[in-house]
Amino acid sequence: ILLLNRLVSWLDVALAAAGSPCPVTLPTSPNGYSNVSGTANGANGGGSSCGGSRPSSPRMQDDTILELGGGCGGGEVIKPVNSPPPEKVKCVIAWLYCFLGTSFASLLVVLNNDRVPQQPPLPDLFFEFFPQATLAFQAAEMIVLYLLFLLISIILLHQHRWILFRRVFVSMGSMYFMRGVFLYVTTLPSPYVEKQCVPPVENMYEVWVRVFKLFSKMGLSVGGENYCGDLIFSGHTVSLTGLYLYIIEYTPSNQRLLRSSTFLLSAFGILLVLMSREHYTIDIVIGYYVVTRFHWTYHTIANYPALHSCSSRYNLLNRNFLHSLVMFFEGNVGGPVPNEYASPRSVLSALFAGYRTLKTTIA
């Protein structure tokens, strides 16, 4: 109750400070709690319109307080960066990272198929109230392919397409690395009683053949091969939610029809995955939680240069593995990427020019 009361107090102060032009810092008091105080941009409060004063004694580097917003001048502090560097080499590295992640997950899916316990499905509250829909899973995969095509089109038309491709590759690689670990450490019985699983593998050559087939199909169920044990967490939920997050992140806010339809399709696709009984409800919940927290944390660190510093002990995000990942791939961006677009004609001209250059280099 005390912690909840403290959290509510912090939220009240944060909401009150949101309309104030002065930054808010949270210095730690001797009793271990944090007191909220305004800070000024002037020295010791002199000549500042914000009021208050900065501490007169110098702080240790480890006690540096991060100020992420505000400012006596008013207006936005964090603005889109003008002409962020594309860094095409890092995009290639991100693609390799994504390739390794998807290969790792595909390998563990194939191996985990032989470890599935032969027992009835676990109790699931959703299954008790909703009947199974036979073709729901194929419909969900069609939605995934449509949203993927839509996102690729948006990225190709974006002025900073190399940065967007890089971020998508990093997100996909990280999700597949985590998904491979999750599904292998805890193997659940299949939620679909009549599902015909592929037979066990007999040698390592057959393992790698199946990995290649699964990788080439992007984890989709086309081709008739059904792998059991591919449960925690739902890859289709990760795809549907992640595609939605990237589409609304890099489209103008005035495109309400596009953003709303993307949300409805994503939500409907997740519902179809549940109705198909290819996944338990917990698979959906964990998949949604993991992909949203990864996306929001990654973009928050990338958009706020103040969070790039490791010198403050108040920046607990630098203890996250994501901090090192963002610093490598996004350290030179310097802030939010502006949503600027090129005409389709210029994009096609650039693609043809790149193709001719590649052809001339090979020849």
Side-chain angles (χ1 to χ4, degrees):
I1 294 175
L2 291 174
L3 291 175
L4 182 60
N5 186 31
R6 176 65 59 176
L7 177 61
V8 171
S9 300
W10 275 28
L11 290 176
D12 289 339
V13 174
L15 290 175
S20 172
C22 302
V24 176
T25 58
L26 303 176
T28 305
S29 59
N31 61 5
Y33 292 100
S34 295
N35 301 321
V36 179
S37 61
T39 61
N41 287 346
N44 296 330
S48 173
S49 61
C50 292
S53 61
R54 293 192 181 276
S56 57
S57 59
R59 289 182 174 270
M60 297 288 292
Q61 186 182 16
D62 188 50
D63 291 336
T64 301
I65 296 175
L66 298 176
E67 298 176 2
L68 300 181
C72 292
E76 284 189 58
V77 175
I78 303 298
K79 297 182 179 180
V81 181
N82 292 324
S83 302
E87 298 182 294
K88 300 178 182 179
V89 175
K90 287 187 178 180
C91 185
V92 176
I93 297 175
W95 180 84
L96 293 175
Y97 176 75
C98 178
F99 174 80
L100 292 176
T102 50
S103 301
F104 175 75
S106 300
L107 174 62
L108 293 184
V109 167
V110 173
L111 295 178
N112 203 43
N113 179 76
D114 300 345
R115 302 173 61 244
V116 177
Q118 302 299 320
Q119 64 183 57
L122 300 176
D124 193 286
L125 188 62
F126 185 89
F127 297 165
E128 296 178 6
F129 292 96
F130 294 92
Q132 182 181 2
T134 307
L135 300 178
F137 200 63
Q138 287 76 8
E141 292 185 341
M142 294 300 294
I143 295 177
V144 171
L145 292 176
Y146 167 74
L147 293 179
L148 179 61
F149 173 79
L150 180 60
L151 178 61
I152 293 176
S153 302
I154 292 173
I155 294 178
L156 289 177
L157 292 174
H158 205 280
Q159 291 280 14
H160 310 289
R161 59 186 67 92
W162 289 99
I163 298 177
L164 270 61
F165 273 126
R166 183 173 70 218
R167 293 181 175 182
V168 171
F169 291 149
V170 172
S171 297
M172 288 180 58
S174 301
M175 289 299 100
Y176 277 107
F177 271 121
M178 288 189 284
R179 185 169 182 267
V181 174
F182 274 53
L183 67 89
Y184 197 76
V185 297
T186 303
T187 305
L188 303 179
S190 175
Y192 183 19
V193 180
E194 300 178 1
K195 185 175 183 179
Q196 298 295 326
C197 305
V198 296
V201 293
E202 299 180 356
N203 50 61
M204 286 304 300
Y205 173 76
E206 188 176 355
V207 169
W208 292 114
V209 171
R210 290 186 179 183
V211 169
F212 175 77
K213 290 182 179 179
L214 187 62
F215 176 84
S216 61
K217 296 187 299 182
M218 299 185 298
L220 302 179
S221 62
V222 292
E225 292 185 344
N226 296 318
Y227 289 92
C228 297
D230 181 16
L231 296 176
I232 297 180
F233 44 85
S234 170
H236 287 71
T237 301
V238 168
S239 300
L240 289 165
T241 308
L243 290 169
Y244 161 73
L245 291 173
Y246 270 99
I247 289 173
I248 66 170
E249 185 77 30
Y250 296 107
T251 52
S253 58
N254 59 0
Q255 299 294 326
R256 297 179 180 178
L257 179 61
L258 175 63
R259 297 159 72 94
S260 300
S261 60
T262 302
F263 169 77
L264 293 176
L265 281 174
S266 177
F268 184 61
I270 293 175
L271 179 63
L272 289 175
V273 173
L274 271 174
M275 295 185 66
S276 68
R277 298 199 180 182
E278 292 286 341
H279 283 282
Y280 292 103
T281 305
I282 189 63
D283 305 337
I284 308 295
V285 174
I286 295 177
Y288 171 82
Y289 184 87
V290 171
V291 68
T292 52
R293 271 58 192 176
F294 182 94
H295 181 90
W296 293 334
T297 304
Y298 187 97
H299 282 76
T300 298
I301 299 175
N303 292 341
Y304 281 85
L307 293 176
H308 295 180
S309 173
C310 297
S311 60
S312 174
R313 67 184 181 92
Y314 297 104
N315 181 16
L316 301 184
L317 290 176
N318 60 29
R319 304 180 185 180
N320 194 328
F321 82 98
L322 264 180
H323 190 272
S324 301
L325 204 64
V326 174
M327 288 307 299
F328 176 77
F329 286 106
E330 310 290 341
N332 296 329
V333 175
V337 175
N339 285 331
E340 301 169 340
Y341 302 93
S343 64
R345 183 176 181 180
S346 63
V347 173
L348 291 175
S349 299
L351 290 176
F352 280 120
Y355 170 75
R356 286 194 297 267
T357 303
L358 181 62
K359 185 177 179 180
T360 304
T361 304
I362 295 176

